[in-house]
Amino acid sequence: METYSNQIKIVVADITTLKVDAIVNAANRSLLGGGGVDGAIHRAAGPELVRECATLGGCETGQCKMTDAYRLPCKKVIHAVGPVWHGGSHQERQLLASCYDNALKLAEDNQLESIAFSCISTGVYGFPKAEAARIALQTIFAHLRDGYQGQVIICCFSEEDTEYYKDCLSNC
Ligand code: ADP
């Protein structure tokens, strides 16, 4: 994993302030906004965002859809629908990996040079944070190995949350 560490940055920030090519929202299946990071992104982007999202017909769990970013400083928003944690026997791990995988595929297909992830599913959706960090990093590293050249930012909302990723980077 060390080989690619110059391409991965762990930051503590409000994701709505990041000037990157795309931020990844932890959305819900309606794509019409919600609480947490989703609410913050919709508030900062302005009402045009929900208008575009309303044309998309929702999104399945584990999938992603991309929109413009409107009043946000980033260029695009990738809306990823993470799984709700129901104990781990409902394909939660695969579905979370699929969110990261699909978001990075969108980044590759659209030549995005930087992508910032929120910690999908680890808020209200209750995914265990250490395991979510491991899944996120494993999926990101798989894309870097396959040749993604961009910068990947993991945007934590608290200093405490960064520890899960740092631990994983030193132990995984
Ligand atoms: P989910 O429903 O997928 O669990 P949440 O929005 O509840 O999504 O939480 C996902 C993560 O986003 C949590 O780690 C939460 O602390 C974080 N978060 C909340 N607001 C912001 C924000 N403005 N910027 C970055 N991260 C945020």
Side-chain angles (χ1 to χ4, degrees):
M1 285 197 172
E2 289 299 305
T3 326
Y4 300 104
S5 47
N6 58 332
Q7 269 179 274
I8 295 191
K9 230 193 266 176
I10 299 162
V11 303
V12 180
D14 175 347
I15 202 166
T16 65
T17 65
L18 299 182
K19 293 189 183 78
V20 289
D21 279 359
I23 61 172
V24 182
N25 183 15
N28 58 52
R29 289 171 55 190
S30 77
L31 296 185
L32 298 178
V37 68
D38 195 12
I41 288 171
H42 276 273
R43 276 193 299 280
E48 296 93 337
L49 179 59
V50 78
R51 257 177 247 142
E52 181 177 354
C53 285
T55 68
L56 300 177
C59 184
E60 292 301 319
T61 304
Q63 302 297 311
C64 296
K65 290 192 178 173
M66 191 164 75
T67 65
D68 281 337
Y70 301 98
R71 299 175 204 177
L72 289 161
C74 57
K75 293 183 187 154
K76 293 283 180 186
V77 180
I78 295 173
H79 304 267
V81 182
V84 177
W85 180 259
H86 289 297
S89 58
H90 295 77
Q91 296 196 304
E92 291 95 329
R93 294 173 185 86
Q94 295 92 316
L95 290 166
L96 186 65
S98 166
C99 286
Y100 284 90
D101 188 38
N102 286 318
L104 286 159
K105 280 184 185 143
L106 280 172
E108 287 157 1
D109 291 349
N110 292 279
Q111 287 86 44
L112 303 180
E113 289 172 7
S114 51
I115 178 169
F117 284 95
S118 60
C119 301
I120 303 166
S121 285
T122 64
V124 171
Y125 281 6
F127 205 107
K129 291 183 176 191
E131 208 169 345
R134 183 181 58 76
I135 290 166
L137 287 171
Q138 278 176 350
T139 313
I140 291 164
F141 274 106
H143 279 263
L144 300 184
R145 269 196 301 275
D146 284 351
Y148 180 60
Q149 303 277 321
Q151 179 82 52
V152 180
I153 294 131
I154 293 166
C155 180
C156 296
F157 206 39
S158 72
E159 196 65 52
E160 198 188 315
D161 283 352
T162 66
E163 296 301 327
Y164 297 101
Y165 296 89
K166 290 177 187 161
D167 282 356
C168 196
L169 281 173
S170 45
N171 301 320
C172 281

